[in-house]
Amino acid sequence: MYDPSMRVLTVLEVLQSRESVTGAELAALLEVSPRTVQRYVARLQDLGIPVEGRRGVGGAYHLRPGFRLPPLMFTDEEALSLALGLLSLRHLGLGALVPAAHAAGAKLARTLPQALRETVQALSAAVQLDSSPWVVQADAALLAEVLAAVRAARTVEFGYTDLHGRPTRRQMDVYRALHLDGRWYVVGRCHLRQALRSFRLDRMDDLHVLSSGFEAPPDFDALAFLQASLPDPPRTHHISVWLAAPPGELRGRLSVWFTDLVAEAGGTRVRCQRERLEDFAALLLGLDCGVRVDEPPELRRVFAAFSARCAALAAPTLNHDPPPHP
């Protein structure tokens, strides 16, 4: 049913919820022998929990009157931040942790006072978050292994598939793991290249933590290194548009990579550089907000072409027969 530690905690929970409980009742609940129940009670007493009562056949246990474990105390802002953090795991590409987040949220709710519990439950029911199309799902178990290696300062070995689909085998001293623009990265010293390198977590597999250790450089800024080392995307057109929506509504719907979002005149000024204006224009149309194009003029011509195509598709036609097959 549970591991021993969970059974001990279950005994404590039952004792807090009842005035008294017999050893036979606890044994049946935990699916163990009465002698094992006695060991669990003794363990609680060793931890300073005042469990009293008679042992043996017919014996009953109870907590000393007036004893109660203090509840976890959170301010409204702390509880709100915890609940929102659990809800936002998908935005970090960690969808596999969502069931665990639900369980953690339920445990959190049980520890809160009634008024605060209702606030957190209302938040879960009222807030709906949608994953950004730019987020790449990451292997939560792999991330946990990487973080354990970082904490222990141990070298890792893993398989890696590069942008062109070429597999390699790497050893690395991982200094940091970080999330940037919808992707998880690890940054550290690559043994193959004998230099600092970054690797995308979603392209890593078959990771092993080695026995050899390392010492990370103090005050290493992994974010600055990663931003400076990633290649610039192809940039042809300098774009400046104004959108009739505040920046907060656009984050997660527009890529922030090489894109500036600045509040302006009740909306947002978007400045970026893109190779294909057609793709960017289609993205803007899908935002369902007002758009004013300031530059380049070619972007307005793309919208004009879209408008002509939409008008042609919306116009009635005399011939409703489907087009012949080629």
Side-chain angles (χ1 to χ4, degrees):
M1 180 181 178
Y2 305 104
D3 62 34
S5 298
M6 288 298 298
R7 289 193 176 103
V8 172
L9 293 176
T10 300
V11 171
L12 177 58
E13 185 175 350
V14 171
L15 290 171
Q16 289 194 112
S17 63
R18 304 186 191 182
E19 291 186 3
S20 66
V21 58
T22 67
E25 290 173 331
L26 287 172
L29 175 65
L30 300 175
E31 302 176 344
V32 297
S33 68
R35 185 176 296 274
T36 301
V37 169
Q38 293 176 15
R39 291 202 300 269
Y40 294 159
V41 170
R43 185 177 299 181
L44 288 173
Q45 292 171 334
D46 291 340
L47 293 172
I49 308 298
V51 182
E52 300 177 342
R54 303 184 310 277
R55 298 184 180 182
V57 178
Y61 301 99
H62 62 85
L63 290 175
R64 180 184 303 160
F67 175 81
R68 195 75 179 177
L69 284 177
L72 291 175
M73 301 302 293
F74 294 105
T75 66
D76 290 1
E77 291 80 8
E78 290 169 342
L80 178 64
S81 65
L82 287 171
L84 282 175
L86 293 172
L87 285 173
S88 65
L89 281 175
R90 287 189 184 275
H91 290 264
L92 294 177
L94 299 174
L97 293 181
V98 170
H102 287 319
K107 291 179 181 179
L108 172 65
R110 288 197 297 270
T111 67
L112 297 175
Q114 182 63 30
L116 196 50
R117 182 187 312 162
E118 292 176 355
T119 299
V120 170
Q121 290 172 341
L123 169 73
S124 300
V127 173
Q128 183 177 5
L129 300 177
D130 186 26
S131 296
S132 166
W134 310 104
V135 173
V136 176
Q137 290 298 311
D139 186 333
L142 180 60
L143 177 61
E145 291 183 87
V146 169
L147 295 177
V150 173
R151 183 172 62 251
R154 297 294 182 185
T155 301
V156 297
E157 180 178 285
F158 55 89
Y160 192 74
T161 303
D162 68 15
L163 182 62
H164 304 288
R166 296 176 300 223
T168 60
R169 194 75 189 167
R170 301 293 183 113
Q171 289 188 6
M172 184 182 192
D173 302 334
V174 181
Y175 299 156
R176 297 287 188 276
L178 66 156
H179 189 264
L180 176 66
D181 196 35
R183 296 178 176 88
W184 281 96
Y185 295 86
V186 297
V187 177
R189 178 177 169 271
C190 173
H191 290 201
L192 179 64
R193 303 302 182 193
Q194 291 295 307
L196 289 175
R197 288 291 187 271
S198 64
F199 296 93
R200 278 176 48 174
L201 189 72
D202 59 292
R203 293 179 179 161
M204 297 168 54
D205 60 18
D206 191 27
L207 183 138
H208 300 280
V209 180
L210 306 181
S211 59
S212 55
F214 63 89
E215 184 174 347
D219 303 322
F220 176 68
D221 192 337
L223 179 59
F225 170 80
L226 181 61
Q227 290 175 326
S229 63
L230 288 178
D232 293 353
R235 290 177 283 175
T236 303
H237 301 281
H238 294 260
I239 298 171
S240 177
V241 298
W242 180 85
L243 304 180
E249 293 184 6
L250 298 174
R251 299 191 187 279
R253 303 173 68 190
L254 283 173
S255 173
V256 298
W257 194 242
F258 291 98
T259 301
D260 291 326
L261 305 180
V262 179
E264 179 183 309
T268 303
R269 169 64 57 183
V270 179
R271 293 184 177 89
C272 60
Q273 299 181 33
R274 294 294 186 269
E275 182 180 21
R276 287 182 51 83
L277 291 177
E278 291 81 4
D279 294 343
F280 189 73
L283 176 65
L284 293 179
L285 288 175
L287 295 178
D288 193 26
C289 67
V291 179
R292 188 184 73 229
V293 176
D294 292 326
E295 63 176 72
E298 293 87 351
L299 183 56
R300 287 192 287 271
R301 289 195 285 270
V302 170
F303 278 119
F306 280 0
S307 176
R309 290 174 58 189
C310 291
L313 291 173
T317 177
L318 297 178
N319 182 7
H320 295 283
D321 294 333
H325 292 290

